[in-house]
Amino acid sequence: VGSTYRSRVRHMDNTGRWSHWSQPLEFTVSEPTISPWVEALVVSEIMYHPSPPTAAELAANPALESSDLEWIEVFNAGATALDLTDIRFTKGIEFNFIDGSRSSISPGEHIVIVANEAAFNLRYAHSSTPEFVAGEFSKNLGNEGERIKLSYGAGTPVRDFEFDDKLPWPEAADGAGPSLVLVAPSTIPDHSNALN
């Protein structure tokens, strides 16, 4: 975005002959129109500091760590399905939806991205990975808060916010078991406001 490019083209006919090059066309790339995503897609829940693995979980997987149990949920608060192929997390965690198992999100649907699918399935007693899990992210979330950026394309922000583990943010989400949840995600609230 903001860079200027020059392009020329030529064509080959069905006999293998090439045309002359076209005159160059110069253009500057502008921001994409992303209003459908900005008006509907929210980061509705963050499990950034899970409670430690239980004895039963460690018996099933001795290498399990708390960070393996992290996850983030996105929610479509809009009235139409959204294409996710150009959507990715670029801060906090790294995840491209084009590499995941889900390429779209229906109205009212929640999709989860996890740190470790086997750990997620173990903690929440899933015999196999549920359809609402889109895949595994890389990097881990900071237990003391972090900046999260959900982007369109190369980094145009859909959601860009910071959360914290201290008041006025809900302190129970900091390792006591609960996740950090938007109170009213369908209203597309300000994700940076701790009261939301």
Side-chain angles (χ1 to χ4, degrees):
V1 171
S3 296
T4 301
Y5 298 89
R6 286 171 61 92
S7 177
R8 298 190 310 158
V9 298
R10 64 181 183 153
H11 299 279
M12 183 174 65
D13 67 17
N14 59 2
T15 67
R17 294 179 303 174
W18 285 97
S19 70
H20 295 289
W21 283 101
S22 70
Q23 292 297 315
L25 175 67
E26 187 171 290
F27 59 95
T28 302
V29 178
S30 62
E31 293 281 343
T33 301
I34 62 167
S35 57
W37 294 271
V38 171
E39 294 168 2
L41 195 60
V42 298
V43 178
S44 53
E45 194 167 352
I46 306 170
M47 178 58 82
Y48 71 92
H49 189 180
S51 57
T54 64
E57 289 168 342
L58 287 171
N61 181 355
L64 192 64
E65 298 179 7
S66 291
S67 59
D68 295 325
L69 300 164
E70 295 176 357
W71 49 267
I72 289 185
E73 178 187 82
V74 295
F75 170 64
N76 181 356
T80 60
L82 295 172
D83 182 0
L84 296 175
T85 54
D86 290 319
I87 301 296
R88 60 194 186 113
F89 281 94
T90 55
K91 299 282 183 198
I93 62 167
E94 292 181 359
F95 181 79
N96 290 314
F97 278 93
I98 197 167
D99 298 327
S101 63
R102 302 294 305 270
S103 60
S104 67
I105 183 169
S106 299
E109 185 177 19
H110 299 264
I111 292 180
V112 175
I113 303 98
V114 301
N116 180 308
E117 285 186 16
F120 181 84
N121 292 340
L122 178 63
R123 170 141 295 182
Y124 298 102
H126 297 294
S127 58
S128 62
T129 303
E131 286 186 21
F132 62 79
V133 174
E136 294 180 345
F137 58 76
S138 59
K139 296 177 67 177
N140 290 109
L141 293 162
N143 289 348
E144 56 288 325
E146 180 133 29
R147 178 181 175 200
I148 302 287
K149 185 177 181 185
L150 183 63
S151 301
Y152 182 93
T156 304
V158 174
R159 297 283 167 251
D160 190 355
F161 64 97
E162 291 185 33
F163 68 89
D164 205 340
D165 65 338
K166 297 173 186 65
L167 289 173
W169 291 88
E171 293 182 295
D174 189 19
S179 57
L180 187 63
V181 183
L182 279 180
V183 175
S186 59
T187 65
I188 321 295
D190 177 0
H191 290 49
S192 296
N193 185 338
L195 298 178
N196 291 331

